[in-house]
Amino acid sequence: MLVTNKTGDARIGHCRICNAQIAPFMSFGRMPIANGFLKPDEIESEYFFELAPAFCDACGMFQLIEQPQPEKMFHQQYAFYSSTSRYMQRHFEAFAHAVINGPLAGRADPFVVELGSNDGIMLQHFQRCGLRHLGVEPSANVADMARNRGISTVTTFFNSKLAADISAEHGSADAILAANVMCHIPDLPGVAAGVQRLLKSDGIFVFEDPYLGDMIAKTSYDQIYDEHVFIFSATSVRRAFAPFGLELVDVAPQVTHGGSMRYTLAPKGSRKASESVDQQLTKEAVLGLDRAETYLKFKTNCESSRIGLTQTLERLRGQGKRIVGYGATSKSTTVINYCKITPEQIEFISDTTPIKQGRLSPGAHIPVRPYGEFLERYPDYALLFAWNHAAEIREKETGFVAAGGRWIVYVPEIAIVS
Ligand code: TYD
């Protein structure tokens, strides 16, 4: 059953993949758009929805029961620019070269399509090698940035019709790539049909997304926000793409986004599956990713994490300490609103992304300030919202720690570290 709430957004009672009946196992409460950094005059019209995940017993897909309409999340003012992290730049360079030197090696005039190509962080490497490429990116501001760098990009959502149009204009694709995108798309079967249509019979489809196993193991519930309508596992990906003739032939864990998985799929029978697939499926069964009770335990862990973080912030505030948030991440929106963190607890959130600076955080309305303000006057504590970049950040912020500053972290557990 698909019902719509007052604003017309879809709230489902059946799995988006296999149509079995599903129900949320917990709720994070009313949530704003994770990347919806706003100006003070936009507070009145701020949009909220219920952030509640469900696990499908039948096919193993972890999903939100309600997701705002895509236009509310991906638009002209989309606040997420992939190229802000040096580490991510290196990651995508390595991803691109693994494809160029791996499956594309020796192919005559290969054609590569990237779904959700953002500002061209990955496609630029194909462009530099003179390879035919096309980015599909619905958010106009980041797509413009890619085009300005000479990267072929169309500003639209990917579906089966677009797959046919691309195929007619450029021919079938040797490789279709996506990073942190597939988990955004509620009509995953529609995209799978498009991939099936666009891919050559010996082509490959490679995508990576935050990994369910890491989220459960680390209680990193902040991966759950509006854009992430799915959190994938090898088990759920394998089942979701099988009806479209696409077989899971490789999996490779990644450290990005606090723990991701790269999935390689190919038309059924076209490639031998690597041993990593069976190994990962076995690991997931051992972890209990296919069992409802795992998610009830996860719910308890989320509640404990919330209590721990709230108590830590209150204790430090009681001691008159200055606390600043570090990194106005999408993920922080879930933490801030679920834990009901206020501007009285967190003075501001430091962020290097110009479009977020001078705005207010979604829901709690904590000011987002340029990174320079963090450097100018170090706080006593910095709450590490960009924990997925911890290595890069802690390497950069030795001055903060030398000045007596301490980090508050909440993944995998609440801790104060120097
Ligand atoms: P990101 O890691 O992409 O997380 P999410 O997917 O949850 O949005 O976002 C990182 C954010 O943190 C981005 O707004 C830039 C900011 N940031 C800093 O302010 N300083 C830094 O050193 C780094 C690495 C990121």
Side-chain angles (χ1 to χ4, degrees), residues 80 225 257 327 329-331 351-353 356 388-389 393 396:
F80 185 87
Y225 57 89
H257 287 288
T329 55
S330 329
K331 294 186 289 296
D351 197 281
T352 52
T353 318
K356 296 181 186 176
N388 48 314
H389 300 288
I393 291 171
K396 189 166 81 176

Side-chain angles (χ1 to χ4, degrees), residues 12 70 105 147 400 417:
I12 55 157
R147 269 191 294 271
F400 166 59
V417 293

Side-chain angles (χ1 to χ4, degrees), residues 82 114-119 135-138 156 158 177-181 185:
S82 291
E114 186 183 351
L115 313 183
S117 46
N118 200 275
D119 54 12
V136 181
E137 172 53 60
T156 186
F158 183 78
L177 312 176
N180 307 310
V181 167
I185 306 174

Side-chain angles (χ1 to χ4, degrees), residues 276-402:
S276 64
V277 175
D278 274 345
Q279 285 166 359
Q280 197 64 33
L281 295 172
T282 307
K283 255 190 216 167
E284 292 185 355
V286 173
L287 271 173
L289 293 191
D290 54 352
R291 286 197 298 278
E293 71 216 40
T294 302
Y295 302 94
L296 295 177
K297 176 85 172 47
F298 173 69
K299 175 185 177 200
T300 308
N301 292 344
C302 291
E303 288 162 356
S304 304
S305 175
R306 174 177 63 178
I307 293 166
L309 183 58
T310 310
Q311 287 177 345
T312 302
L313 295 178
E314 271 311 285
R315 179 171 55 80
L316 295 175
R317 189 159 81 117
Q319 295 167 1
K321 303 294 185 193
R322 272 185 75 221
I323 309 174
V324 160
Y326 196 104
T329 55
S330 329
K331 294 186 289 296
S332 71
T333 296
T334 298
V335 177
I336 290 170
N337 289 280
Y338 176 57
C339 300
K340 301 198 171 17
I341 298 175
T342 65
E344 285 70 44
Q345 292 171 317
I346 304 283
E347 196 175 302
F348 64 88
I349 305 172
S350 160
D351 197 281
T352 52
T353 318
I355 196 173
K356 296 181 186 176
Q357 297 163 355
R359 298 204 175 205
L360 301 171
S361 76
H365 309 147
I366 301 169
V368 180
R369 301 258 184 254
Y371 172 54
E373 293 195 23
F374 172 82
L375 290 179
E376 247 162 54
R377 193 160 79 93
Y378 285 137
D380 299 306
Y381 291 85
L383 177 50
L384 188 56
F385 289 128
W387 60 268
N388 48 314
H389 300 288
E392 175 174 348
I393 291 171
R394 289 175 69 180
E395 198 181 302
K396 189 166 81 176
E397 301 300 354
T398 48
F400 166 59
V401 175

Side-chain angles (χ1 to χ4, degrees), residues 146-352:
R147 269 191 294 271
N148 291 340
R149 296 156 89 182
I151 297 156
S152 309
T153 308
V154 286
T155 308
T156 186
F157 289 97
F158 183 78
N159 54 30
S160 204
K161 160 85 176 65
L162 185 73
D165 293 347
I166 294 174
S167 212
E169 192 179 338
H170 303 272
S172 305
D174 295 80
I176 302 178
L177 312 176
N180 307 310
V181 167
M182 295 305 289
C183 70
H184 290 179
I185 306 174
D187 182 17
L188 193 71
V191 170
V195 168
Q196 184 183 29
R197 194 160 183 171
L198 180 57
L199 202 61
K200 279 189 182 161
S201 57
D202 62 350
I204 51 153
F205 174 40
V206 190
F207 72 91
E208 61 183 37
D209 278 297
Y211 178 56
L212 184 64
D214 283 294
M215 186 183 86
I216 298 295
K218 298 176 192 168
T219 316
S220 46
Y221 65 85
D222 54 354
Q223 289 297 357
I224 303 173
Y225 57 89
D226 55 359
E227 294 177 20
H228 291 176
V229 65
F230 299 113
I231 309 281
F232 297 129
S233 62
T235 307
S236 63
V237 163
R238 183 167 152 266
R239 289 180 185 157
F241 287 90
F244 301 91
L246 293 165
E247 195 174 12
L248 185 61
V249 294
D250 193 40
V251 291
Q254 309 290 318
V255 294
T256 47
H257 287 288
S260 296
M261 188 65 75
R262 185 177 295 167
Y263 306 94
T264 301
L265 294 110
K268 194 167 169 48
S270 67
R271 257 163 218 269
K272 191 174 172 316
S274 94
E275 283 173 6
S276 64
V277 175
D278 274 345
Q279 285 166 359
Q280 197 64 33
L281 295 172
T282 307
K283 255 190 216 167
E284 292 185 355
V286 173
L287 271 173
L289 293 191
D290 54 352
R291 286 197 298 278
E293 71 216 40
T294 302
Y295 302 94
L296 295 177
K297 176 85 172 47
F298 173 69
K299 175 185 177 200
T300 308
N301 292 344
C302 291
E303 288 162 356
S304 304
S305 175
R306 174 177 63 178
I307 293 166
L309 183 58
T310 310
Q311 287 177 345
T312 302
L313 295 178
E314 271 311 285
R315 179 171 55 80
L316 295 175
R317 189 159 81 117
Q319 295 167 1
K321 303 294 185 193
R322 272 185 75 221
I323 309 174
V324 160
Y326 196 104
T329 55
S330 329
K331 294 186 289 296
S332 71
T333 296
T334 298
V335 177
I336 290 170
N337 289 280
Y338 176 57
C339 300
K340 301 198 171 17
I341 298 175
T342 65
E344 285 70 44
Q345 292 171 317
I346 304 283
E347 196 175 302
F348 64 88
I349 305 172
S350 160
D351 197 281
T352 52

